[in-house]
Amino acid sequence: MINNNKILYSGMQATGSLTLGNYLGALKNWVNLNEEYECIYGVMDLHSLTVRQNPAEFRKNARSLYALYMAAGLDPEKNCIYYQSHVPAHAQLSWILGCFTYMGELNRMTQFKDKAAKHTENINAGLYTYPVLMAADILLYQADVVPVGQDQKQHLEITRDIAQRFNGIYGDVFTVPEAYIAKAGAKIMSLQEPQKKMSKSEENPNASIWLLDDRDSIIRKFKRAVTDSDTVVRYAEEKAGISNLMDIYGCVTGKDSAEIEKEFEGKGYGEFKLAVGEAVADELLPLQKRYGQFIQDKEYLDSMIQKNDEKAAYYASKTLRKVYKKVGFTEPAK
């Protein structure tokens, strides 16, 4: 890598639009990491194919995601931001790693079971082998750390198992990655079903805040957020809706739950919901303005994509060549 910092790897699927949960739970926390790590972020379009995509919308969403990375503050000059499908080494290494992954390990993946239940009409092999491709993503770049949420811990564990198994056979080939746990960034839940995580695939338009929602839509959605029959703004397990709104408000204002409870002491839910909506709208406005500038500047966006694709391909090819040699592939004639 360019410097001696440890390598951090992450990415998001190129489907739909990013939610407030994606932003507060991950993207916002990525911005300052390049001071501490050599950061590589993928537009994960290969992973997106486990669900049928409309080609035109898919291309648009992938480009939008790239621009949103930049708008959120990820500098493509300091971070390597690239398209997963533009680096063939991902698919090539995935096949090899699949030959070092056991069926029993894949059978234990709870996310496959959850997604298979949601997409009963399209339970494809890609959905099943998704963790192997994810392992290839991470191991290609010799990542030291990977930011993970609760729902991704199992995937990181199987990545570690695959890396250790391969290393045990062929020597020190892959860096075995560790989980990076962010100091801030709560798990943001649905505004309509606060027991469920806010999702890009949510069908109820009032359940999620999209990063490109206008101010009126943001405030309206928060006003409609499900709470409880109480009137006290208090953080408690039995008050899932209010606790979720407090998490959101805390993330964008920097206040802890005690400060929020004191601020809204003696005030009703209506006033609190409005304050949360306005704070979120204020937080997202600068991002939305930068996004508009980036998405309209085709020449600059294309140049950054090309530059970073080449950088990612260079890093990935170094690992792939090493793997090819270890497993005994014949080098092509020159």
Coordinates of all heavy atoms in Angstrom, one line a residue, residues 123-193:
I123 N -34.2 -18.1 -5.0 CA -33.2 -18.6 -4.0 C -32.1 -19.2 -4.9 O -32.0 -20.4 -5.2 CB -33.8 -19.7 -3.1 CG1 -35.0 -19.1 -2.3 CG2 -32.7 -20.1 -2.0 CD1 -35.7 -20.1 -1.4
N124 N -31.1 -18.3 -5.3 CA -30.1 -18.7 -6.2 C -28.8 -19.1 -5.5 O -28.6 -18.8 -4.3 CB -29.9 -17.6 -7.2 CG -29.5 -16.2 -6.6 OD1 -28.5 -16.1 -6.1 ND2 -30.5 -15.3 -6.6
A125 N -27.9 -19.7 -6.3 CA -26.6 -20.1 -5.7 C -25.8 -18.9 -5.3 O -25.0 -19.0 -4.4 CB -25.9 -20.9 -6.8
G126 N -25.9 -17.8 -6.0 CA -25.1 -16.6 -5.6 C -25.5 -16.1 -4.2 O -24.6 -15.7 -3.4
L127 N -26.8 -16.3 -3.8 CA -27.2 -15.9 -2.5 C -26.6 -16.8 -1.5 O -26.2 -16.4 -0.4 CB -28.7 -16.0 -2.4 CG -29.5 -15.3 -1.3 CD1 -29.3 -13.8 -1.3 CD2 -31.0 -15.6 -1.4
Y128 N -26.4 -18.1 -1.8 CA -25.8 -19.1 -0.9 C -24.3 -18.9 -0.8 O -23.8 -19.0 0.3 CB -26.1 -20.5 -1.5 CG -25.7 -21.6 -0.6 CD1 -26.2 -21.9 0.6 CD2 -24.6 -22.5 -1.1 CE1 -25.8 -22.9 1.4 CE2 -24.2 -23.5 -0.3 CZ -24.8 -23.8 1.0 OH -24.4 -24.8 1.7
T129 N -23.6 -18.5 -1.9 CA -22.2 -18.4 -1.8 C -21.7 -17.0 -1.6 O -20.5 -16.6 -1.7 CB -21.5 -18.9 -3.1 OG1 -22.1 -18.2 -4.3 CG2 -21.8 -20.4 -3.3
Y130 N -22.7 -16.1 -1.3 CA -22.4 -14.7 -1.0 C -21.2 -14.5 -0.1 O -20.3 -13.7 -0.3 CB -23.7 -14.1 -0.5 CG -23.7 -12.6 -0.2 CD1 -24.4 -11.8 -1.1 CD2 -23.1 -12.0 0.8 CE1 -24.5 -10.4 -0.9 CE2 -23.1 -10.6 1.1 CZ -23.9 -9.8 0.2 OH -23.9 -8.5 0.4
P131 N -21.1 -15.3 1.0 CA -20.0 -15.1 2.0 C -18.7 -15.4 1.4 O -17.7 -14.8 1.9 CB -20.4 -16.1 3.1 CG -21.8 -16.3 3.0 CD -22.1 -16.3 1.6
V132 N -18.6 -16.2 0.4 CA -17.3 -16.6 -0.2 C -16.8 -15.4 -1.1 O -15.7 -15.0 -1.0 CB -17.4 -17.8 -1.1 CG1 -16.1 -18.1 -1.7 CG2 -18.0 -19.0 -0.3
L133 N -17.8 -14.7 -1.8 CA -17.4 -13.5 -2.5 C -17.0 -12.4 -1.6 O -16.0 -11.7 -1.9 CB -18.5 -13.1 -3.4 CG -18.3 -11.8 -4.3 CD1 -17.1 -12.0 -5.2 CD2 -19.5 -11.5 -5.1
M134 N -17.7 -12.3 -0.5 CA -17.3 -11.3 0.5 C -15.9 -11.6 1.1 O -15.1 -10.6 1.3 CB -18.3 -11.2 1.6 CG -18.0 -10.2 2.7 SD -19.3 -10.1 4.0 CE -20.5 -9.1 3.2
A135 N -15.6 -12.8 1.3 CA -14.3 -13.2 1.8 C -13.2 -12.8 0.7 O -12.2 -12.2 1.1 CB -14.2 -14.7 2.0
A136 N -13.5 -13.0 -0.6 CA -12.6 -12.6 -1.6 C -12.4 -11.1 -1.7 O -11.3 -10.6 -1.8 CB -13.1 -13.1 -3.0
D137 N -13.5 -10.3 -1.5 CA -13.4 -8.9 -1.4 C -12.4 -8.4 -0.4 O -11.5 -7.6 -0.7 CB -14.8 -8.3 -1.0 CG -15.9 -8.6 -2.0 OD1 -15.6 -8.9 -3.1 OD2 -17.1 -8.6 -1.5
I138 N -12.5 -9.0 0.8 CA -11.7 -8.5 1.9 C -10.2 -9.0 1.8 O -9.3 -8.3 1.9 CB -12.3 -9.1 3.2 CG1 -13.7 -8.4 3.4 CG2 -11.4 -8.8 4.4 CD1 -14.5 -9.1 4.5
L139 N -10.1 -10.3 1.4 CA -8.7 -10.9 1.4 C -7.9 -10.4 0.2 O -6.7 -10.4 0.3 CB -8.9 -12.4 1.4 CG -9.6 -13.0 2.6 CD1 -9.7 -14.6 2.5 CD2 -8.9 -12.6 3.9
L140 N -8.5 -10.1 -0.9 CA -7.8 -9.5 -2.1 C -6.9 -8.4 -1.7 O -5.8 -8.2 -2.3 CB -8.8 -9.1 -3.1 CG -9.1 -10.0 -4.3 CD1 -10.1 -9.3 -5.2 CD2 -7.9 -10.5 -5.1
Y141 N -7.4 -7.5 -0.8 CA -6.7 -6.3 -0.5 C -5.9 -6.4 0.8 O -5.5 -5.4 1.4 CB -7.7 -5.1 -0.4 CG -8.4 -5.0 -1.8 CD1 -9.7 -5.6 -2.0 CD2 -7.8 -4.3 -2.8 CE1 -10.2 -5.5 -3.2 CE2 -8.4 -4.2 -4.0 CZ -9.6 -4.8 -4.3 OH -10.2 -4.7 -5.5
Q142 N -5.8 -7.7 1.3 CA -5.0 -7.9 2.6 C -5.5 -7.0 3.7 O -4.7 -6.4 4.4 CB -3.5 -7.7 2.3 CG -2.9 -8.6 1.2 CD -2.9 -10.0 1.5 OE1 -3.2 -10.5 2.6 NE2 -2.6 -10.9 0.5
A143 N -6.8 -6.9 3.8 CA -7.4 -6.0 4.8 C -7.0 -6.4 6.2 O -7.2 -7.6 6.6 CB -8.9 -5.9 4.6
D144 N -6.6 -5.4 7.0 CA -6.4 -5.7 8.4 C -7.6 -5.6 9.3 O -7.8 -6.3 10.2 CB -5.4 -4.7 9.0 CG -4.0 -4.8 8.3 OD1 -3.3 -5.8 8.6 OD2 -3.7 -3.9 7.5
V145 N -8.5 -4.6 8.9 CA -9.7 -4.4 9.6 C -10.9 -4.2 8.7 O -10.8 -3.7 7.6 CB -9.6 -3.2 10.6 CG1 -8.6 -3.5 11.7 CG2 -9.2 -1.9 9.9
V146 N -12.1 -4.6 9.2 CA -13.3 -4.5 8.4 C -14.4 -4.0 9.3 O -14.7 -4.6 10.3 CB -13.8 -5.8 7.8 CG1 -15.1 -5.7 7.0 CG2 -12.7 -6.5 6.9
P147 N -15.0 -2.8 9.0 CA -16.1 -2.3 9.8 C -17.3 -3.2 9.7 O -17.7 -3.5 8.6 CB -16.4 -0.9 9.3 CG -15.2 -0.6 8.4 CD -14.6 -1.8 8.0
V148 N -17.8 -3.7 10.8 CA -19.0 -4.7 10.7 C -20.1 -4.3 11.7 O -19.8 -3.9 12.8 CB -18.5 -6.1 11.0 CG1 -17.7 -6.7 9.8 CG2 -17.8 -6.3 12.3
G149 N -21.3 -4.5 11.2 CA -22.4 -4.4 12.1 C -22.7 -5.8 12.6 O -22.1 -6.8 12.3
Q150 N -23.7 -5.9 13.5 CA -24.1 -7.1 14.1 C -24.5 -8.2 13.0 O -24.1 -9.4 13.2 CB -25.3 -6.9 15.0 CG -25.7 -8.1 15.9 CD -24.6 -8.5 16.9 OE1 -23.9 -7.6 17.4 NE2 -24.3 -9.7 17.1
D151 N -25.1 -7.7 11.9 CA -25.6 -8.7 10.9 C -24.4 -9.2 10.0 O -24.7 -10.1 9.2 CB -26.7 -8.1 10.1 CG -26.3 -6.7 9.4 OD1 -25.3 -6.2 9.9 OD2 -27.0 -6.3 8.5
Q152 N -23.3 -8.6 10.1 CA -22.1 -9.0 9.3 C -21.0 -9.7 10.0 O -20.1 -10.2 9.4 CB -21.5 -7.7 8.6 CG -22.5 -7.0 7.6 CD -22.7 -7.8 6.3 OE1 -22.1 -8.8 6.1 NE2 -23.7 -7.5 5.6
K153 N -21.2 -9.8 11.3 CA -20.1 -10.5 12.1 C -19.9 -11.9 11.6 O -18.8 -12.4 11.6 CB -20.5 -10.5 13.6 CG -20.2 -9.1 14.2 CD -20.5 -9.2 15.7 CE -20.2 -7.8 16.4 NZ -20.5 -7.9 17.8
Q154 N -21.0 -12.6 11.3 CA -20.8 -14.0 10.9 C -20.1 -14.1 9.6 O -19.3 -15.1 9.4 CB -22.2 -14.7 10.7 CG -22.3 -16.2 10.8 CD -23.7 -16.7 10.7 OE1 -24.5 -16.1 10.1 NE2 -23.9 -17.9 11.3
H155 N -20.3 -13.2 8.7 CA -19.5 -13.2 7.4 C -18.1 -12.9 7.6 O -17.2 -13.5 6.9 CB -20.1 -12.1 6.5 CG -21.4 -12.6 5.8 ND1 -22.2 -11.7 5.2 CD2 -22.0 -13.8 5.8 CE1 -23.3 -12.3 4.7 NE2 -23.2 -13.6 5.1
L156 N -17.7 -12.1 8.6 CA -16.3 -11.8 8.8 C -15.7 -13.0 9.5 O -14.5 -13.4 9.2 CB -16.1 -10.6 9.8 CG -14.7 -10.2 10.0 CD1 -13.9 -9.9 8.7 CD2 -14.6 -9.0 11.0
E157 N -16.4 -13.7 10.3 CA -15.9 -15.0 10.9 C -15.6 -16.0 9.9 O -14.5 -16.7 10.0 CB -16.9 -15.5 12.0 CG -16.9 -14.7 13.3 CD -15.5 -14.6 13.9 OE1 -14.8 -15.6 14.0 OE2 -15.1 -13.5 14.3
I158 N -16.4 -16.2 8.9 CA -16.2 -17.2 7.9 C -15.0 -16.8 7.0 O -14.2 -17.6 6.5 CB -17.4 -17.5 7.0 CG1 -17.2 -18.9 6.3 CG2 -17.8 -16.4 6.1 CD1 -18.4 -19.4 5.5
T159 N -14.8 -15.5 6.8 CA -13.7 -14.9 6.1 C -12.4 -15.3 6.8 O -11.4 -15.7 6.2 CB -13.8 -13.4 5.9 OG1 -15.0 -13.1 5.1 CG2 -12.6 -12.8 5.2
R160 N -12.4 -15.1 8.1 CA -11.2 -15.4 8.9 C -10.9 -16.9 8.8 O -9.8 -17.3 8.7 CB -11.5 -15.0 10.4 CG -11.4 -13.5 10.6 CD -11.9 -13.1 12.0 NE -11.1 -13.8 13.0 CZ -9.9 -13.5 13.5 NH1 -9.3 -12.4 13.0 NH2 -9.3 -14.2 14.4
D161 N -12.0 -17.7 8.9 CA -11.8 -19.2 8.8 C -11.2 -19.6 7.5 O -10.3 -20.5 7.5 CB -13.2 -19.9 9.1 CG -13.7 -19.8 10.5 OD1 -12.9 -19.4 11.4 OD2 -14.9 -20.0 10.7
I162 N -11.7 -19.1 6.4 CA -11.2 -19.4 5.1 C -9.7 -19.0 5.0 O -8.9 -19.7 4.5 CB -12.0 -18.7 4.0 CG1 -13.5 -19.3 4.0 CG2 -11.4 -18.9 2.6 CD1 -14.4 -18.5 3.1
A163 N -9.4 -17.8 5.4 CA -8.0 -17.3 5.3 C -7.1 -18.1 6.1 O -6.0 -18.5 5.7 CB -8.0 -15.8 5.9
Q164 N -7.5 -18.5 7.4 CA -6.6 -19.3 8.2 C -6.5 -20.7 7.6 O -5.4 -21.3 7.7 CB -7.2 -19.4 9.6 CG -7.1 -18.1 10.4 CD -7.9 -18.0 11.6 OE1 -8.9 -18.8 11.8 NE2 -7.6 -17.1 12.5
R165 N -7.5 -21.3 7.0 CA -7.4 -22.6 6.4 C -6.5 -22.5 5.2 O -5.6 -23.4 5.0 CB -8.8 -23.0 5.9 CG -8.9 -24.4 5.3 CD -10.3 -24.8 5.0 NE -11.1 -24.7 6.3 CZ -12.3 -24.1 6.4 NH1 -12.9 -23.6 5.3 NH2 -12.9 -24.1 7.5
F166 N -6.6 -21.5 4.4 CA -5.7 -21.4 3.2 C -4.2 -21.2 3.6 O -3.3 -21.8 3.1 CB -6.2 -20.2 2.3 CG -5.6 -20.2 1.0 CD1 -6.3 -20.8 -0.1 CD2 -4.3 -19.6 0.7 CE1 -5.7 -20.8 -1.4 CE2 -3.8 -19.6 -0.6 CZ -4.5 -20.2 -1.6
N167 N -4.1 -20.3 4.6 CA -2.7 -20.1 5.2 C -2.1 -21.3 5.8 O -0.9 -21.6 5.7 CB -2.7 -19.0 6.2 CG -3.0 -17.6 5.6 OD1 -2.9 -17.4 4.4 ND2 -3.2 -16.6 6.4
G168 N -3.0 -22.1 6.4 CA -2.5 -23.4 7.0 C -1.9 -24.4 6.0 O -1.0 -25.2 6.3
I169 N -2.5 -24.3 4.8 CA -2.0 -25.2 3.7 C -0.9 -24.6 2.9 O 0.1 -25.3 2.7 CB -3.2 -25.5 2.8 CG1 -4.4 -26.1 3.5 CG2 -2.7 -26.4 1.6 CD1 -5.7 -26.2 2.7
Y170 N -0.9 -23.3 2.6 CA 0.1 -22.7 1.7 C 1.0 -21.7 2.3 O 1.8 -21.2 1.6 CB -0.7 -22.1 0.5 CG -1.5 -23.0 -0.3 CD1 -2.9 -23.0 -0.2 CD2 -0.9 -24.0 -1.1 CE1 -3.7 -23.9 -1.0 CE2 -1.6 -24.9 -1.9 CZ -3.0 -24.8 -1.8 OH -3.8 -25.7 -2.6
G171 N 0.9 -21.5 3.6 CA 1.8 -20.5 4.2 C 1.1 -19.2 4.4 O -0.1 -19.0 4.2
D172 N 1.9 -18.1 4.6 CA 1.4 -16.8 5.0 C 1.0 -16.1 3.7 O 1.8 -15.3 3.1 CB 2.4 -16.0 5.7 CG 1.9 -14.7 6.2 OD1 0.7 -14.5 6.3 OD2 2.7 -13.8 6.6
V173 N -0.3 -16.3 3.2 CA -0.8 -15.7 2.0 C -1.7 -14.5 2.3 O -1.5 -13.5 1.7 CB -1.5 -16.8 1.1 CG1 -2.0 -16.1 -0.2 CG2 -0.6 -17.9 0.8
F174 N -2.7 -14.8 3.2 CA -3.7 -13.7 3.4 C -3.5 -13.1 4.8 O -3.2 -13.8 5.8 CB -5.1 -14.3 3.4 CG -5.5 -14.8 2.0 CD1 -5.9 -16.2 1.8 CD2 -5.5 -14.0 0.9 CE1 -6.3 -16.6 0.6 CE2 -5.9 -14.4 -0.3 CZ -6.3 -15.8 -0.5
T175 N -3.8 -11.8 4.9 CA -3.9 -11.2 6.2 C -5.2 -11.7 6.8 O -6.3 -11.6 6.1 CB -3.9 -9.7 6.1 OG1 -2.6 -9.3 5.5 CG2 -4.1 -9.0 7.4
V176 N -5.2 -12.1 8.1 CA -6.5 -12.5 8.7 C -7.1 -11.2 9.3 O -6.6 -10.6 10.3 CB -6.2 -13.6 9.8 CG1 -7.6 -14.0 10.5 CG2 -5.6 -14.8 9.2
P177 N -8.3 -10.8 8.8 CA -8.8 -9.5 9.2 C -9.5 -9.5 10.6 O -10.0 -10.5 11.0 CB -9.9 -9.2 8.1 CG -10.3 -10.6 7.7 CD -9.1 -11.4 7.8
E178 N -9.5 -8.4 11.2 CA -10.2 -8.2 12.5 C -11.4 -7.3 12.3 O -11.4 -6.5 11.3 CB -9.2 -7.5 13.5 CG -7.9 -8.3 13.8 CD -8.2 -9.5 14.7 OE1 -9.3 -9.6 15.3 OE2 -7.3 -10.4 14.8
A179 N -12.3 -7.4 13.2 CA -13.5 -6.5 13.1 C -13.1 -5.1 13.6 O -12.4 -4.9 14.6 CB -14.6 -7.0 14.0
Y180 N -13.6 -4.1 12.9 CA -13.5 -2.7 13.3 C -14.8 -2.3 13.9 O -15.8 -2.3 13.2 CB -13.1 -1.8 12.2 CG -13.1 -0.3 12.6 CD1 -11.9 0.3 13.1 CD2 -14.2 0.5 12.4 CE1 -11.9 1.6 13.5 CE2 -14.2 1.8 12.8 CZ -13.1 2.4 13.3 OH -13.1 3.7 13.7
I181 N -14.8 -2.0 15.2 CA -16.1 -1.5 15.8 C -16.0 0.0 16.0 O -15.2 0.5 16.8 CB -16.3 -2.2 17.2 CG1 -16.2 -3.8 17.0 CG2 -17.6 -1.8 17.8 CD1 -17.2 -4.4 16.1
A182 N -16.9 0.7 15.4 CA -16.9 2.2 15.5 C -17.3 2.6 16.8 O -18.1 2.0 17.5 CB -17.8 2.8 14.4
K183 N -16.7 3.7 17.3 CA -17.0 4.3 18.6 C -18.4 4.9 18.6 O -19.1 4.9 19.7 CB -16.0 5.3 19.0 CG -14.6 4.8 19.2 CD -13.6 5.9 19.6 CE -12.2 5.4 19.8 NZ -11.6 5.0 18.5
A184 N -18.9 5.3 17.5 CA -20.2 6.0 17.4 C -20.9 5.4 16.2 O -20.3 4.8 15.3 CB -20.1 7.5 17.3
G185 N -22.2 5.6 16.1 CA -23.0 5.1 15.0 C -23.9 4.0 15.4 O -23.6 2.8 15.4
A186 N -25.0 4.4 15.9 CA -26.0 3.5 16.5 C -26.7 2.7 15.3 O -26.6 3.1 14.2 CB -27.1 4.3 17.2
K187 N -27.2 1.6 15.7 CA -28.0 0.8 14.8 C -29.4 1.5 14.6 O -30.1 1.5 15.6 CB -28.2 -0.6 15.3 CG -28.9 -1.6 14.3 CD -29.0 -3.0 14.9 CE -29.7 -3.9 14.0 NZ -29.8 -5.3 14.5
I188 N -29.6 2.0 13.5 CA -30.8 2.8 13.2 C -32.0 1.9 12.8 O -31.8 1.2 11.8 CB -30.6 3.9 12.2 CG1 -29.4 4.8 12.6 CG2 -31.8 4.8 12.0 CD1 -29.5 5.4 14.0
M189 N -33.1 2.0 13.4 CA -34.2 1.2 13.2 C -35.3 1.9 12.3 O -35.3 3.1 12.1 CB -34.9 0.7 14.5 CG -33.8 0.2 15.6 SD -32.8 -1.1 15.0 CE -33.9 -2.5 15.2
S190 N -36.2 1.1 11.8 CA -37.3 1.5 11.0 C -38.2 2.5 11.8 O -38.4 2.3 13.0 CB -38.2 0.4 10.5 OG -39.4 0.8 10.1
L191 N -38.7 3.6 11.1 CA -39.5 4.5 11.8 C -40.9 4.0 12.0 O -41.7 4.5 12.8 CB -39.6 5.8 11.0 CG -38.3 6.6 10.8 CD1 -38.6 7.9 10.0 CD2 -37.6 6.9 12.1
Q192 N -41.3 2.9 11.2 CA -42.6 2.4 11.4 C -42.6 1.0 12.2 O -43.6 0.7 12.8 CB -43.2 2.1 10.0 CG -43.5 3.4 9.2 CD -44.5 4.3 9.9 OE1 -45.6 3.9 10.3 NE2 -44.2 5.6 10.2
E193 N -41.5 0.3 12.1 CA -41.4 -0.9 12.9 C -40.0 -0.9 13.6 O -39.1 -1.4 13.2 CB -41.4 -2.1 12.0 CG -42.8 -2.3 11.3 CD -42.7 -3.5 10.3 OE1 -42.9 -4.6 10.8 OE2 -42.6 -3.3 9.1

